[in-house]
Every structure is written in structure tokens, then in C-alpha cells.
Amino acid sequence: MSNQRYRFITGNRVAFAPAVTDLSGTHTSSCWGCGPEAREGLGLVPRLDGSDPVADLEFDPRFEGGPGTVHGGAIAAFVDDLLGFVPVVYGAPGVTARLDTNYRKPVPLGVTVHGRAWLSAVDGDKMWAEGTIEAGDEVYVEASALFIAISFEHYRKVH
């Protein structure tokens, strides 16, 4: 069933009890999107609203693409990072297998935008997440992603 508010995503939501209640420390400290040690990164600080990862961000002028607007690559990084927290909250950390970013309007510099992500479907080790970047009544970006669950053992080996 589609939600008419969205053009490029379904708006479907899977209800679940979050496996984590605090997102701090659930990702690497050097992550370019949300890592506190990534001084040149986006500076995303995700938090939970129920089972939805959310984050507010005003893009630094160094992320300018077209005049007065945010570069599309920085926007894609924002949604990849934010949607990537959905599998973590669900309890099955995963890696991005596909990311679709639909730019409805240019994201202006100097505006604090609000990102929200949610779980839209699950099939075995595959999880689909959707999300938006909005400000006020404006929907600037709609995104969807497919994540493949990976084991905690993988994370232990890498970190």
C-alpha cells in the first residue's frame, strides 16, 4: 500500500521493538558520516524517535554543489548513513547493497534539514529502509536502500 505523500518510496513501515535504545557508539568513531573523530565528515548525530533513526543537519558551506545548494553526493552520504542505522535498530547490522536517492528539490545551504529513516520490509537477511530529508513542509529528498545483514563476528574482526 502506497502513501500518497511520497513520489518515489512506498512509505510502508514494519513495526518492531528496537534492539537498541541509544545510537551513540553503534558505529565507528571515524565514520565520515557520523563519526565524532571524522573532523572533515558530515557531522551527523543520529538519535531515535521510536524505532526511527532521525538527525538534523545544516550542511556546512564546504558541501556546496550548485550555487547556494548542497552537493548531491553529500546528500546521498547523509541518507546512506541515516538509513544504515535502521538495520542496527532492528538488531541485524548490515551493509548497503543498493541506495536510491531521489532529489525532489535542491537542498539549500543555510537551512537545517531533518532526516528520518524507517524499516519498510524484511526478507531473511535482506532489509529495506526508506527515509526523507525535509525542512518545514518541504520534502527535499526521498531515499530507499537495501541492506544485507552481516554477522557481529565480522565487526569484531574488522574492529
Side-chain angles (χ1 to χ4, degrees):
M1 174 142 216
S2 290
N3 182 326
Q4 294 303 313
R5 179 168 192 246
Y6 305 114
R7 292 185 197 161
F8 302 104
I9 58 178
T10 66
N12 293 341
R13 290 176 178 263
V14 174
F16 66 94
V20 297
T21 56
D22 180 8
L23 294 177
S24 60
T26 60
H27 210 215
T28 64
S29 60
S30 59
C31 171
W32 189 83
C34 65
E37 293 176 19
R39 286 176 271 163
E40 296 299 319
L42 285 178
L44 202 63
V45 181
R47 61 191 187 286
L48 281 176
D49 181 8
S51 61
D52 294 353
V54 297
D56 299 313
L57 184 66
E58 182 178 329
F59 286 90
D60 188 279
R62 66 194 165 93
F63 293 113
E64 185 172 35
T69 63
V70 180
H71 190 282
I75 294 165
F78 180 143
V79 295
D80 184 39
D81 209 58
L82 190 63
L83 272 64
F85 279 99
V86 171
V88 172
V89 175
Y90 183 67
V95 293
T96 308
R98 188 188 72 236
L99 175 67
D100 295 313
T101 306
N102 296 287
Y103 303 90
R104 289 179 53 168
K105 297 180 180 190
V107 175
L109 288 172
V111 171
T112 298
V113 294
H114 178 73
R116 175 175 295 273
W118 58 87
L119 185 66
S120 61
V122 178
D123 182 10
D125 67 349
K126 296 178 183 177
M127 296 158 285
W128 287 265
E130 294 182 340
T132 60
I133 297 176
E134 304 181 15
D137 293 333
E138 298 288 337
V139 178
Y140 290 100
V141 177
E142 295 177 12
S144 61
L146 166 62
F147 295 94
I148 306 300
I150 57 175
S151 70
F152 285 105
E153 181 59 31
H154 168 79
Y155 281 114
R156 279 193 283 277
K157 284 182 197 174
V158 173
H159 301 290

